[in-house]
Amino acid sequence: NTTISVGGTNITQAPFIRKLKILINELVADQEDGPEWVEIYNAGNLSVDLEGCYLEEGSEQKTKLSGTIIPEQFIVVQNIEGSLNNAGDIVRLKNEKGEMTDRVTFGAWEDGTPSDNAPFAVDPNSIARWVDGKDTDNDKDDFAISAKPTKGKTNVISEPASEKIRHPERLPTGQAGS
């Protein structure tokens, strides 16, 4: 806090804290009637230039990003390089230095701790954050399957019929995704 004097009265001001927080917010990996897509959300309080940033999927294929994302704005990235494995994958958001700024692991993707992976969704469902921009670093707690993808909009979780929900620990033996 900073104290300033205005007309002989001391006023305490809270400092402005610059917060950069760009997150993967929603994705569709099993899209039969269109391209897979990943939604990015700016949960910070500053606009961010995405030039040089990229998404990287599990096989390390990179999709370049561009443009500027302002606070509380969504950007949808379509035509992902490589492909997201329907039964499980990892999507990393990296800055221009190649540093990971966010990642989402879903389904049966083996990342050392698959027990905290987000569930995977089958068409036409998406994997979406319960709350836009809320990140506890536990994908299982942060993400849900939504029957109503909200591409480029505030997430509204609409749970699909239970038979469409797929969690890695519930996969039948021998079931594989594409």
Side-chain angles (χ1 to χ4, degrees):
N1 289 339
T2 308
T3 303
I4 60 171
S5 181
V6 178
T9 303
N10 289 334
I11 299 174
T12 302
Q13 290 183 319
F16 177 77
I17 298 172
R18 297 175 185 266
K19 184 173 99 174
L20 296 175
K21 191 173 181 183
I22 308 300
L23 298 169
I24 298 165
N25 204 56
E26 184 176 13
L27 62 93
V28 169
D30 182 22
Q31 187 75 343
E32 291 181 12
D33 56 352
E36 297 175 323
W37 53 269
V38 176
E39 178 187 84
I40 299 170
Y41 178 69
N42 185 345
N45 59 11
L46 297 171
S47 293
V48 176
D49 181 2
L50 296 174
E51 194 64 40
C53 297
Y54 56 93
L55 289 172
E56 180 182 82
E57 48 86 62
S59 70
E60 299 184 2
Q61 293 288 315
K62 296 171 178 61
T63 302
K64 294 180 183 180
L65 305 178
S66 61
T68 300
I69 184 169
I70 62 173
E72 299 181 10
Q73 181 184 15
F74 303 91
I75 290 182
V76 176
V77 181
Q78 298 189 122
N79 303 317
I80 305 297
E81 293 294 326
S83 68
L84 301 176
N85 294 314
N86 300 349
D89 211 331
I90 186 168
V91 182
R92 298 175 193 94
L93 176 58
K94 294 192 174 184
N95 65 20
E96 69 282 353
K97 297 176 187 174
E99 300 164 334
M100 187 168 54
T101 60
D102 191 31
R103 64 102 186 98
V104 174
T105 308
F106 63 92
W109 186 262
E110 179 53 61
D111 65 345
T113 54
S115 62
D116 70 358
N117 290 0
F120 75 91
V122 295
D123 194 50
N125 305 309
S126 71
I127 302 166
R129 285 191 189 272
W130 284 100
V131 177
D132 293 328
K134 182 176 181 192
D135 186 13
T136 67
D137 288 328
N138 183 321
D139 295 332
K140 185 175 183 177
D141 293 342
D142 292 343
F143 287 86
I145 296 172
S146 182
K148 293 183 181 178
T150 54
K151 188 177 184 178
K153 299 176 186 168
T154 299
N155 290 347
V156 177
I157 303 299
S158 174
E159 293 187 10
S162 62
E163 67 271 11
K164 292 187 178 183
I165 296 176
R166 303 281 192 252
H167 295 273
E169 66 274 8
R170 295 183 194 156
L171 280 174
T173 304
Q175 180 175 351
S178 58

